[in-house]
Amino acid sequence: AILAQAFEAHVPDSDGTSVCFRAWAVVLISGARAALLISGMASATKQFNEAHAFLQNISGEIEVLKMEVLQDNEQRKAEIAEARSKLEQERCERREQIRRLRTEFEDFVSRKVDRVLEEIEEMKMTEQKDDSSQQQMIQHIMGDMTALRDDLRSINTSWTKLAESCVVTAPGGG
């Protein structure tokens, strides 16, 4: 014998609303055994389970994506922090290089200026030595000229005396 009956069931959903299912319950009686077949109810439950499983899968995938996004975000933050750190380190290195370069340049210029000043001082000393040696030479030459002049006067006087002694006065004249 077959017995069939229609019924309606309301199942609450996760968001507070309820889902309505309409189904047929069919009872098959065969001999001493009876089997209950709920065709519409089984199909509705299967659809509900499939929808619920789909939503759970989607929810799981969303959570996985959220975690990936958060990890990616954290990785990007770490990369940015590392890049900023490297940039700051490079700035410090550049400042240090510029400071060393400036110091080396100042030392170089200072050495060159000192060298030029030393050379100027040497030139002055050389000029003074040259001036003093020139002055000594002039004094020596002046002494030689004075001696030469005195010697030439002496020679002139001797020639004059010789010439006077050698000049014969003409007879009768003088």
Side-chain angles (χ1 to χ4, degrees), residues 70-146:
L70 288 175
Q71 287 174 350
D72 190 47
N73 188 30
E74 290 301 319
Q75 184 180 5
R76 297 292 182 245
K77 284 181 181 179
E79 289 173 358
I80 289 170
E82 183 180 342
R84 284 182 179 156
S85 174
K86 283 183 180 179
L87 181 64
E88 187 60 33
Q89 183 180 2
E90 288 178 3
R91 282 182 187 158
C92 289
E93 288 173 0
R94 298 286 186 274
R95 287 182 194 139
E96 181 62 25
Q97 287 175 346
I98 289 171
R99 186 193 61 76
R100 275 195 312 245
L101 201 83
R102 181 175 45 234
T103 303
E104 289 175 9
F105 183 73
E106 287 173 356
D107 289 345
F108 175 78
V109 169
S110 177
R111 285 193 310 268
K112 288 295 183 182
V113 167
D114 290 345
R115 191 171 175 189
V116 167
L117 290 175
E118 288 173 3
E119 288 179 5
I120 290 173
E121 196 62 36
E122 286 177 12
M123 285 175 48
K124 285 182 180 179
M125 296 297 282
T126 303
E127 286 177 8
Q128 287 177 355
K129 286 181 183 177
D130 286 347
D131 287 350
S132 62
S133 67
Q134 285 177 354
Q135 188 64 35
Q136 287 176 355
M137 289 172 74
I138 290 172
Q139 294 291 338
H140 183 66
I141 291 173
M142 285 178 61
D144 287 346
M145 293 292 282
T146 303

Side-chain angles (χ1 to χ4, degrees), residues 21-70:
F21 291 101
R22 292 190 181 154
W24 289 90
V26 178
V27 179
L28 298 174
I29 301 172
S30 166
R33 299 179 32 191
L36 175 64
L37 176 63
I38 307 175
S39 63
M41 184 69 154
S43 139
T45 303
K46 183 179 177 186
Q47 288 177 354
F48 180 75
N49 286 340
E50 287 177 2
H52 185 65
F54 176 75
L55 290 176
Q56 282 182 334
N57 287 342
I58 294 295
S59 177
E61 288 179 19
I62 288 173
E63 288 300 317
V64 168
L65 287 175
K66 279 183 186 178
M67 294 303 292
E68 287 177 0
V69 167
L70 288 175

